[in-house]
Amino acid sequence: WDFDLQASGRSKVDALYLTGQFRPVQPLTIDAGFRTSRFTTRYAADTGTLDGMADVLVDTTTSKNTYTAALNWSLSDDMGLFFRINRGYLAPGFDTYRGFQAEFHDRGQDLFQKVRQYELGYKLSKDAFALYATYFRNKVDGFPLCVVGGIVPCVLQKNEAQGLEVDAKLQLCDRVALGLKATLPPGAVRKGPK
């Protein structure tokens, strides 16, 4: 197996963020955020047997909009429930442009991963104890799956994962604390590569 690579590239992101929060009734808080981004990528790569000629050329500018929104319900001064929705994108890296040249150049795909996330959680914060428990469900469209040098072509997957994240802290005294961070079950993938 032999694979040579000589590459150079540059990527830049310009973004504008807007956020806001309001309280329609006393125990309920609503917050939201919006971001518009412009991604610029320039990349050249000579792959395989190096001959000084670029096999991959990328010069692209893409704009994407993302948002987040949440409802926070205060059950008391130190306890609450929340629900959050996130919709966003993960920009492709240089390896993704190299592995998916045909999809990008021939089929016009922008190769951005579309990410949707939903969270439902409980939070408790006392002087000596804190607990955050969050059920999450993630959906990712366009997740790249590649084996460099493999005989199977690269594919863009659709993945779904769900689980429960738990973050707890017990303050025993001024200098001693116990912490727990766990994901239960460990982010089970429901659809996608086996």
Side-chain angles (χ1 to χ4, degrees):
W1 183 76
D2 184 20
F3 183 80
D4 293 325
L5 171 66
Q6 185 174 20
S8 65
R10 189 173 135 191
S11 228
K12 180 175 108 169
V13 180
D14 297 310
L16 173 66
Y17 298 84
L18 298 172
T19 62
Q21 182 182 77
F22 71 99
R23 183 170 290 192
V25 293
Q26 181 56 33
L28 180 65
T29 303
I30 299 172
D31 66 72
F34 174 81
R35 181 182 74 204
T36 184
S37 305
R38 186 177 68 204
F39 301 84
T40 302
T41 301
R42 290 182 177 81
Y43 176 66
D46 182 5
T47 61
T49 304
L50 300 182
D51 57 8
M53 302 293 291
D55 300 303
V56 179
L57 284 172
V58 175
D59 187 356
T60 182
T61 299
T62 305
S63 294
K64 294 289 183 184
N65 297 322
T66 61
Y67 70 85
T68 183
L71 300 173
N72 296 287
W73 189 273
S74 295
L75 301 172
S76 66
D77 289 342
D78 53 16
M79 186 175 10
L81 301 172
F82 65 90
F83 175 70
R84 177 170 295 279
I85 296 174
N86 299 301
R87 297 283 174 104
Y89 293 88
L90 180 60
F94 298 134
D95 290 340
T96 304
Y97 280 114
R98 188 175 68 246
F100 293 91
Q101 305 175 63
E103 286 80 1
F104 178 69
H105 286 295
D106 302 341
R107 298 185 196 117
Q109 292 183 2
D110 65 12
L111 301 183
F112 279 72
Q113 295 179 51
K114 183 178 182 181
V115 180
R116 291 160 289 169
Q117 181 179 41
Y118 309 91
E119 298 176 341
L120 177 63
Y122 169 80
K123 50 190 172 183
L124 172 68
S125 183
K126 301 252 184 206
D127 291 337
F129 181 71
L131 171 68
Y132 298 89
T134 306
Y135 168 78
F136 67 88
R137 183 175 181 89
N138 301 330
K139 296 181 179 183
V140 180
D141 293 342
F143 180 80
L145 177 64
C146 270
V147 177
V148 176
I151 58 172
V152 177
C154 297
V155 292
L156 296 172
Q157 297 283 332
K158 292 185 178 184
N159 292 344
E160 292 183 12
Q162 62 182 350
L164 177 67
E165 292 179 348
V166 178
D167 189 348
K169 181 180 176 183
L170 176 62
Q171 191 75 39
L172 299 174
C173 62
D174 287 344
R175 297 178 181 228
V176 179
L178 296 175
L180 168 71
K181 293 185 185 222
T183 303
L184 311 166
V189 176
R190 300 300 178 196
K191 294 179 183 176
K194 301 288 184 195

